[in-house]
Amino acid sequence: MKKKIVTSLAAMMAVGAACAFAANPFVDVPSDSWAYKSVVELADAGIIQGVDGQYFQGNRNITRYEAAEMVAKAMAHMDKASVEQRALINKLADEYADELNNLGVRVSALENRVGNVKLSGDARVRFQHQSSGESNGNDGAGYKNDSSWDYRVRVRANAKVNDRTTVTYGISTDDINFADDGAASDNKNIFTDDAKVDYNFGGDHWNLSVGRTDTYVLGGENAYGFQYGDVFDRAELKYTNDHFAATAGYGKFKAGDILAGTEADISAGTEDMDGVKTGYGELEGFFGGGRAAGSAIGVYYNDFTVAGGEGDEQYGDGFRADDLWGAYASVNFGKWNALANYEKINSNNSYLEAGNTKDPEVWIGKLTYGSADSDARGSWDAWVEYLNSDKGALLGGATNSWRDDSVLNNVKSWGVGIDYTLAKNVILTAAQTFGTQTKHGNAADPDEFTDVEINFLF
């Protein structure tokens, strides 16, 4: 095995013009050995170190971990290699992927190889339950029998163009419900949910991302995502360091029931999310050490417009919010995390629906213990949350929450849940609302909502 590895890695190091080699560091490699030139090159590059710094022991079989360590060091020289040489190293890296992962090379080098295209994805099977009733979800039909079950599959291709540029493309199915009695061929539900280019610059502190992202969480990834956490077309610039992050962007919502349209559309009940755009900014601070490491606070702002949609929408501004601002705090203390999130919407009075609260607010608190790691079978977390939202606070987007809209808007509601890693890359999530009450008006309290899902990552 040693001859194969040394020959392969030496071929990789033979780039550029010939150069003078360092002195042979190993006393047991004679100058007339077939491997002399390759051994000296690799030792000079720091890829091999020998035994006790003096002996190469060329007749000894090496372990897979020793081979993987040499491959990892070769990967650090990828910028010197030609396309053919990178392909050779990539082949070796694939061969020793498990060992490289155990050596901690996976994120820092293996997944960042220039010229590498990585395929990944996930599949979800979900069960939801809520009784039928006017105040409940699914247009009052609730979630029962076949309507309780759905599934979704997503596939991603991530290509590293160069050290600074990455291209991502992904496709997804809709949430396909088992209550659908049509033929499978009738379901034209596969769509592009991710198509973007990311360019990293400024000493790795700046990132410019342009295109479609599968998950834009309104408020940032550390916030709850009450309003939105789905497909979004945007241009976004972000600065990040160890203590601070600033994000600015502009884009259009591409999922959910965000209300937009003319006054006539609203009166006729035919409004939809066509044409709703937002300019947004986020400021975040990161703090804590030891047991508090990873804590963060942030503020965010979104300004909404409606323009350029199809039909009548392009002539009117039918969205019922002018803008929105919010703040969050996510504090770690050992195995515990406490999240607090507040949002306030400034209403568009021209389209304020009857009974809705003017300038509605949302308060959310969540306490989590533990962490469900997809790589660690048997790891888990458990959490409890409380949500207090005014009527009209939910603008109709595809929320990042596990809850149905009926237990998000105009409610005071508790929730409890658990995440458990059944096997590597297989995570079970179970969540349940309780104590849910209508906050404003005389409408009946919505029935409690159950969500159970299994996610398979690949």
Side-chain angles (χ1 to χ4, degrees):
M1 178 184 285
K2 177 172 281 190
K3 180 175 180 180
K4 178 181 177 182
I5 295 295
V6 168
T7 303
S8 299
L9 295 181
M12 171 269 189
M13 291 303 299
V15 294
C19 60
F21 299 111
N24 177 17
F26 305 121
V27 298
D28 58 348
V29 181
S31 60
D32 59 351
S33 169
W34 68 268
Y36 180 84
K37 182 174 181 290
S38 297
V39 169
V40 172
E41 286 179 340
L42 294 171
D44 188 39
I47 292 176
I48 59 174
Q49 296 174 332
V51 179
D52 296 330
Q54 300 182 51
Y55 302 97
F56 182 62
Q57 295 188 356
N59 293 321
R60 179 178 68 86
N61 288 329
I62 63 173
T63 68
R64 289 183 62 87
Y65 276 102
E66 288 174 317
E69 185 176 6
M70 287 191 284
V71 173
K73 293 175 180 177
M75 290 164 64
H77 295 269
M78 288 284 273
D79 58 332
K80 302 177 183 177
S82 68
V83 173
E84 293 79 9
Q85 292 159 349
R86 288 201 300 266
L88 175 60
I89 299 172
N90 288 345
K91 184 176 180 179
L92 290 170
D94 290 336
E95 169 67 24
Y96 297 100
D98 290 340
E99 288 80 9
L100 287 166
N101 184 36
N102 290 335
L103 290 171
V105 181
R106 180 178 181 182
V107 173
S108 62
L110 180 58
E111 294 180 350
N112 289 327
R113 289 174 291 167
V114 175
N116 184 42
V117 177
K118 178 186 175 185
L119 292 178
S120 61
D122 63 84
R124 181 186 70 190
V125 178
R126 181 171 64 178
F127 170 83
Q128 298 174 307
H129 179 76
Q130 189 181 44
S131 301
S132 58
E134 183 178 349
S135 298
N136 294 336
N138 201 16
D139 296 327
Y143 297 88
K144 299 185 298 182
N145 303 321
D146 286 354
S147 295
S148 290
W149 295 90
D150 64 37
Y151 66 91
R152 181 194 67 192
V153 179
R154 300 185 295 186
V155 178
R156 301 282 177 269
N158 185 281
K160 192 167 182 64
V161 179
N162 54 47
D163 289 341
R164 297 187 179 276
T165 309
T166 303
V167 175
T168 305
Y169 181 78
I171 58 175
S172 175
T173 67
D174 284 328
D175 296 331
I176 302 173
N177 197 278
F178 284 93
D180 184 1
D181 294 327
S185 59
D186 294 338
N187 295 326
K188 298 180 175 63
N189 52 33
I190 297 177
F191 61 95
T192 296
D193 68 334
D194 211 343
K196 63 189 177 187
V197 177
D198 287 275
Y199 179 72
N200 192 259
F201 61 100
D204 295 333
H205 291 301
W206 291 89
N207 188 76
L208 175 64
S209 185
V210 179
R212 174 170 296 181
T213 181
D214 63 322
T215 307
Y216 161 62
V217 178
L218 196 154
E221 295 182 357
N222 291 311
Y224 185 82
F226 176 83
Q227 298 291 351
Y228 199 81
D230 214 312
V231 183
F232 189 66
D233 291 349
R234 86 285 185 266
E236 179 182 282
L237 181 63
K238 184 169 185 175
Y239 173 84
T240 306
N241 61 33
D242 291 340
H243 304 289
F244 174 77
T247 305
Y250 183 78
K252 180 185 288 188
F253 299 101
K254 302 300 292 184
D257 302 314
I258 291 180
L259 305 182
T262 64
E263 189 169 5
D265 293 326
I266 293 174
S267 298
T270 58
E271 70 275 16
D272 58 26
M273 54 82 68
D274 181 47
V276 179
K277 302 177 182 179
T278 183
Y280 59 97
E282 302 163 7
L283 295 175
E284 299 175 283
F286 311 116
F287 62 95
R291 294 169 61 84
S295 299
I297 56 174
V299 294
Y300 53 94
Y301 175 80
N302 286 71
D303 181 67
F304 302 106
T305 59
V306 179
E310 298 178 0
D312 291 338
E313 288 87 346
Q314 62 184 312
Y315 302 112
D317 183 0
F319 194 45
R320 52 188 169 88
D322 280 334
D323 54 33
L324 170 156
W325 72 272
Y328 78 85
S330 176
V331 180
N332 297 321
F333 40 105
K335 293 185 178 181
W336 293 88
N337 172 264
L339 170 69
N341 200 168
Y342 169 80
E343 287 185 0
K344 179 179 177 63
I345 297 166
N346 293 314
S347 301
N348 182 341
N349 295 330
S350 299
Y351 297 99
L352 185 64
E353 297 178 27
N356 279 359
T357 305
K358 186 179 184 300
D359 301 334
E361 298 175 311
V362 182
W363 293 90
I364 301 166
K366 184 175 182 179
L367 184 65
T368 303
Y369 177 83
S371 176
D373 184 348
S374 62
D375 287 330
R377 180 176 178 268
S379 60
W380 59 277
D381 64 59
W383 49 265
V384 61
E385 68 179 25
Y386 177 73
L387 186 148
N388 185 325
S389 67
D390 289 334
K391 187 173 183 180
L394 185 65
L395 296 175
T399 179
N400 197 50
S401 173
W402 58 275
R403 293 168 173 256
D404 180 75
D405 290 0
S406 62
V407 285
L408 280 171
N409 187 48
N410 190 29
V411 293
K412 297 179 180 179
S413 178
W414 290 86
V416 63
I418 186 171
D419 303 292
Y420 183 81
T421 304
L422 299 172
K424 183 177 180 179
N425 295 327
V426 180
I427 300 178
L428 168 70
T429 298
Q432 174 69 50
T433 65
F434 65 96
T436 303
Q437 298 178 330
T438 298
K439 184 174 181 180
H440 300 293
N442 299 319
D445 295 335
D447 287 328
E448 305 299 351
F449 179 75
T450 304
D451 181 269
V452 180
E453 55 189 67
I454 300 179
N455 285 275
F456 303 86
L457 313 178
F458 55 89

